Amino acid sequence: AQSVSQHNHHVILSEAASLELGCNYSYGGTVNLFWYVQYPGQHLQLLLKYFSGDPLVKGIKGFEAEFIKSKFSFNLRKPSVQWSDTAEYFCAVRAGEGGGADGLTFGKGTHLIIQP
Amino acid sequence: NAGVTQTPKFQVLKTGQSMTLQCAQDMNHEYMSWYRQDPGMGLRLIHYSVGAGITDQGEVPNGYNVSRSTTEDFPLRLLSAAPSQTSVYFCASKKGGLVNQPQHFGDGTRLSIL
């Protein structure tokens, strides 16, 4: 079974700082990769996804992520964070081509706090 | 579009009580799933369904039952609530048959077991 590891449980940054949240997965085959965000009091929202093609994917709100297959990584980045980026961020993986267990496997989440 | 609708939003139960968390989607999605979200644990898959009449267990299925009699509804049942089931529960759905489809999540149900 696949697993997802997010390296940092809590990250505190100042506004305008650059952000990189690490995500590694363990699965040797084809994967679909996702980053979800959960703002305080709200439900999960999809930030970006990778299925195939260009390994650098751009999402909403200035976020991007790079899939590095050799490192089994899918790190989330943003060049300049804002106070409104304070939220919990989840990396998720779906193994295979969509058959069988279709549920996502999530990392434990990273709680990002942006200080004004 | 309502998307994925979960009810109730909040619920408090006593140990041993039973209840059903409702989930409905109006997008004609084949796949539906239930997750629980616990501090420090992230999201964990409880049960999922690839279509009406078909369900399967996820990572943490014990203590929960599901059924999928229609495409739209995927209720989650707690037969005898335990304090360990205190959590936030998310229902999700996605369109089946195509690989490149993300999941849509409901707003969550916050459940407390006393």
Side-chain angles (χ1 to χ4, degrees), chain A residues 66-95:
Chain A
E66 185 175 12
F67 171 51
I68 303 179
K69 189 174 182 179
S70 61
K71 295 184 178 180
F72 297 91
S73 70
F74 191 57
N75 293 354
L76 181 71
R77 300 194 293 249
K78 185 171 184 179
S80 177
V81 295
Q82 301 170 310
W83 176 80
S84 58
D85 292 324
T86 295
E88 188 133 17
Y89 293 81
F90 293 92
C91 181
V93 63
R94 180 193 301 136

Side-chain angles (χ1 to χ4, degrees), chain A residues 38 43 94 97 102 104, chain B residues 35 37 94 101 103 107:
Chain A
Q38 185 176 25
H43 60 272
R94 180 193 301 136
E97 295 292 338
D102 194 67
L104 298 171
Chain B
Y35 297 85
Q37 183 184 21
K94 72 175 278 288
Q101 296 293 328
Q103 294 203 69
D107 288 346

Side-chain angles (χ1 to χ4, degrees), chain A residues 46-60:
Chain A
L46 180 67
L47 264 182
L48 49 79
K49 60 186 184 291
Y50 172 80
F51 293 113
S52 63
D54 189 343
L56 183 62
V57 292
K58 294 191 185 297
I60 60 172

